[in-house]
Amino acid sequence: MRIRLLPVAAVCACLWLAPSAQAQRIAVSVANTGPWLSLVSRGMTTYAASQKGLDLKLHDAQDDISRQLSQIQNFIAQKVDAIIVVTVDTQATPRMTQLASAAGIPLVYVNHPPAEGKLPPKVVFVGSDETDSGTLQTREVCRLLGGKGRVAVMIGDLSNQSAIQRTQDVKDVIAKPPCQAMKIVAEQSADWSRVKGANLMTNWITAGIPVDAVIANNDEMAIGAIQALKAARKLDTVVVAGIDATQDALVAMKAGELKVTVFQDAIGQGRGAVDAALKLIRGQPVPSKLWVPFELVTPVNIDKYLGKN
């Protein structure tokens, strides 16, 4: 199936898969087109291209929840066969779920988990269990520090359930043996951003906050922390950890700068979301939660993950 890129419209960035007769139409609203979610989107489009008679359209919500809700309302008005959403704000998912369910349209959340504890029929979540991400990350940091040390935590977008859970994972790990001698000395949001991560780390250094490890909710913030620590000539004494195993992060790990990351299969999540949507369209049973496992990445096993994200 041929993929054709259309010009960006005023309200969305759209990637079309050329439809065939009686094509099944899936509309996708993605929170943004940043590096990580671009991989999730690639997983969707690549898999969709392999499916005969599928018309998939991507829309960029530009990190605007009002725009995203409007997109979903438009999808419903167009009577698409299924909707896939990577949410801007997970607290808005009850409204999205209500809209899709009332219209009888299957809804698949991907990557960012919805706020609802229980999802209604024909609504599913495809992603990775965030109770594993920060847990794997922090346990490895604990091992590297010998169970003790001062920790700074860089938090993602505070409106995002993944950031909330990953931060809680850190606290849960250090609350129990053998990591109880670890202490959080600073924690603040850097909005998943490399630039904001660098600025935040610079602020902590300037404030004289001593740290033995920086545990970041994602790789972009971890790389920002590395940049600031290198500029201050302090990187050699600090363990930096991220999550996602992006290619930039693995380059930093190869260079000996990043000590820990956790592989999250972005392309696998995108592929899984489209597959789940197709099954829902066909009336096939789909579990309400489909998990794509997290995997710890260290300098020991890094070669296994090169080129994956």
Side-chain angles (χ1 to χ4, degrees):
M1 183 175 291
R2 181 170 61 88
I3 297 177
R4 179 165 57 95
L5 185 63
L6 295 182
V8 178
V11 296
C12 69
C14 305
L15 184 64
W16 291 76
L17 296 180
S20 62
Q22 298 180 331
Q24 293 169 317
R25 298 181 301 153
I26 299 177
V28 185
S29 176
V30 182
N32 59 61
T33 56
W36 171 254
L37 291 186
S38 291
L39 292 170
V40 177
S41 296
R42 189 202 307 170
M44 293 187 209
T45 57
T46 301
Y47 183 72
S50 70
Q51 303 300 302
K52 186 177 180 180
L54 175 57
D55 173 20
L56 183 139
K57 186 194 302 180
L58 287 176
H59 300 252
D60 177 11
Q62 299 178 24
D63 283 327
D64 183 334
I65 188 57
S66 296
R67 181 186 296 268
Q68 187 163 65
L69 285 168
S70 178
Q71 288 172 348
I72 292 168
Q73 289 169 332
N74 288 338
F75 300 160
I76 292 170
Q78 294 163 12
K79 298 182 180 180
V80 299
D81 296 299
I83 297 170
I84 297 175
V85 179
V86 182
T87 58
V88 172
D89 184 346
T90 52
Q91 297 307 308
T93 59
R95 176 60 175 157
M96 299 176 191
T97 299
Q98 179 186 37
L99 288 168
S101 295
I105 297 176
L107 173 62
V108 178
Y109 293 110
V110 60
N111 190 255
H112 297 171
E116 303 98 305
K118 184 177 181 181
L119 297 173
K122 298 172 71 175
V123 180
V124 305
F125 169 65
V126 177
S128 300
D129 188 348
E130 295 294 355
T131 59
D132 293 333
S133 58
T135 300
L136 289 169
Q137 175 195 43
T138 308
R139 283 177 177 168
E140 180 63 9
V141 171
C142 174
R143 187 188 71 80
L144 292 172
L145 293 181
K148 60 184 179 181
R150 299 157 296 189
V151 175
V153 181
M154 287 192 176
I155 308 171
D157 183 347
L158 293 173
S159 69
N160 188 284
Q161 190 62 33
S162 295
I164 295 168
Q165 185 60 56
R166 291 176 185 184
T167 303
Q168 187 59 48
D169 293 342
V170 177
K171 296 176 180 180
D172 289 345
V173 169
I174 68 174
K176 302 172 185 177
C179 308
Q180 283 177 303
M182 293 172 63
K183 179 182 178 182
I184 295 176
V185 295
E187 60 177 309
Q188 190 172 327
S189 172
D191 291 327
W192 307 118
S193 165
R194 184 181 304 196
V195 172
K196 291 183 179 180
N199 291 339
L200 178 56
M201 190 72 243
T202 298
N203 291 342
W204 286 339
I205 293 169
T206 302
I209 299 174
V211 299
D212 300 300
V214 176
I215 302 179
N217 284 171
N218 78 336
D219 286 337
E220 283 294 292
M221 293 186 295
I223 292 171
I226 287 169
Q227 291 172 342
L229 288 163
K230 284 173 68 177
R233 297 184 180 180
K234 292 180 177 291
L235 182 59
D236 289 346
T237 62
V238 180
V239 171
V240 180
I243 292 174
D244 288 336
T246 64
Q247 289 310 295
D248 284 354
L250 297 184
V251 168
M253 183 172 284
K254 277 284 192 181
E257 299 169 346
L258 183 72
K259 302 301 182 184
V260 182
T261 188
V262 180
F263 175 68
Q264 182 176 193
D265 191 350
I267 292 175
Q269 288 183 12
R271 181 173 59 245
V274 175
D275 186 59
L278 287 171
K279 287 178 179 177
L280 289 170
I281 291 170
R282 296 163 185 161
Q284 297 173 355
V286 180
S288 63
K289 293 182 179 179
L290 294 167
W291 298 117
V292 180
F294 281 107
E295 301 171 39
L296 180 67
V297 183
T298 70
V300 174
N301 67 352
I302 185 175
D303 288 345
K304 175 182 174 182
Y305 298 93
L306 294 172
K308 280 197 171 184
N309 268 347

